Amino acid sequence: MDLASFVIANEPLIRLSCFVGVFGLVAGWELVAPRRAMRVSKALRWTANLGLVVLNTVLLRMAFPLAAAGLAAFGAARGWGLLNQIQVPSWLAVILSVVALDLVIWLQHVMVHAVPALWRLHRVHHADPDYDVTTGARFHPLEIGLSMLIKFAAITVLGPPVAAVVIFEVLLNATAMFNHGNIRIPAGVDRRLRWLVVTPDLHRVHHSVEDDETNSNFGFNLPWWDRLFGTYRAQPRAGHEAMAIGIHGHADPREVARLDGLLMLPFRGAIDGYAINRREGPGRPLTR
């Protein structure tokens, strides 16, 4: 069995092992050095958030039996994609693929904030009344399905190596749990680290209730895109301990901290605008 076949055959186990390992590490860190006091029962929130993880995993396997790594191998065998048409050293193809896929996810994140109908799905993630390791995996199943379709399209066009796809998937999951962690990192360390990876203090700004703050810091893994495209914000105005997290008008634990409430949240209320270029300052909170 060659490396690609081994990776494809064991991809679920590889991803599960990394998920459990990083989750345990960040969850333990949150107990030892928390950044903020929690507002809602952890048992209630974790039951809902991790319930979404289990539901999404099952639905993805049913709807997309060919995983991203399998599609990359399928495409390579048929010469699909840019990197399967040009001669590039394998190590360079892996680096280029990981960076390119990360940019695609950044653009997708901007899109779900900019399109009102997609924001209705994505607000399930933002409506979490607290911010911890489980928030990083809290997404509505319809958004997860959309994300997979976008990822499949990117893989088909790019033609990344199988190893690059698996590395990217593991990195994305690991960094999402890390940068949603309720963990305290010394300011000097955070200042340097955020040039290489999205840190919890960097991404927490994105979960503010304020329009101009939530429409910033879209990165999950690599932090460069926000600096490059002008959506970088270093700190929240109110400070990390005092800033309000979530969405105004969605604070009822039955809606935002229970699994049934999260599944129904996108279908509540009228569809209205959510302009990504509305970047007012204090006094104009994010509603809807």
Side-chain angles (χ1 to χ4, degrees):
M1 178 182 292
D2 59 22
L3 179 60
S5 300
F6 175 83
V7 169
I8 294 170
N10 293 278
E11 184 257 352
L13 179 60
I14 293 171
R15 293 187 60 184
L16 177 62
S17 300
C18 292
F19 175 86
V20 172
V22 175
F23 183 93
L25 178 63
V26 176
W29 194 345
E30 290 180 339
L31 291 175
V32 174
R35 186 68 158 106
R36 293 166 49 97
M38 296 287 100
R39 298 161 47 202
V40 178
S41 163
K42 179 179 284 190
L44 182 65
R45 287 183 53 257
W46 279 36
T47 298
N49 292 356
L50 295 179
L52 274 180
V53 173
V54 174
L55 178 61
N56 289 335
T57 300
V58 172
L59 291 178
L60 275 182
R61 287 296 169 183
M62 293 173 59
F64 302 100
L66 182 64
L71 179 61
F74 186 82
R78 288 156 179 77
W80 294 353
L82 176 63
L83 292 177
N84 289 316
Q85 296 295 321
I86 60 177
Q87 293 296 320
V88 177
S90 58
W91 63 268
L92 181 58
V94 168
I95 293 174
L96 290 175
S97 297
V98 170
V99 173
L101 289 171
D102 193 76
L103 175 58
V104 169
I105 295 300
W106 185 90
L107 291 169
Q108 174 192 315
H109 195 178
V110 173
M111 179 183 71
V112 297
H113 275 253
V115 178
L118 298 183
W119 167 248
R120 292 169 69 85
L121 299 177
H122 189 60
R123 68 184 181 179
V124 169
H125 179 66
H126 277 265
D128 198 337
D130 281 321
Y131 185 94
D132 68 10
V133 61
T134 64
T135 308
R138 173 188 161 119
F139 293 95
H140 195 276
L142 292 177
E143 182 177 1
I144 290 292
L146 173 65
S147 180
M148 184 60 73
L149 289 174
I150 292 172
K151 197 180 300 179
F152 278 9
I155 290 170
T156 301
V157 171
L158 181 63
V162 172
V165 173
V166 175
I167 290 170
F168 172 74
E169 296 269 66
V170 169
L171 280 176
L172 186 64
N173 291 337
T175 54
M177 287 186 285
F178 166 69
N179 59 47
H180 285 89
N182 181 35
I183 55 181
R184 184 177 298 276
I185 298 176
V189 175
D190 178 86
R191 218 168 21 246
R192 292 167 176 79
L193 191 59
R194 63 171 57 193
W195 284 99
L196 301 174
V197 68
V198 176
T199 66
D201 275 12
L202 175 59
H203 191 68
R204 191 180 296 107
V205 180
H206 179 72
H207 282 255
S208 168
V209 297
E210 300 289 350
D211 280 337
D212 59 327
E213 292 181 343
T214 201
N215 285 328
S216 67
N217 299 359
F218 293 96
F220 272 104
N221 182 15
L222 299 176
W224 313 321
W225 312 121
D226 288 298
R227 294 178 186 270
L228 180 63
F229 294 110
T231 52
Y232 175 80
R233 181 177 289 268
Q235 302 293 337
R237 280 183 297 274
H240 287 280
E241 286 82 4
M243 68 178 287
I245 287 175
I247 304 176
H248 279 301
H250 296 280
D252 185 347
R254 291 173 298 178
E255 179 187 39
V256 299
R258 282 181 26 175
L259 181 59
D260 57 340
L262 298 183
L263 292 174
M264 292 305 299
L265 182 57
F267 310 105
R268 292 196 174 101
I271 296 180
D272 53 8
Y274 182 76
I276 199 166
N277 60 351
R278 189 177 69 243
R279 302 173 65 84
E280 293 91 339
R284 297 296 301 274
L286 170 62
T287 57
R288 299 182 285 283

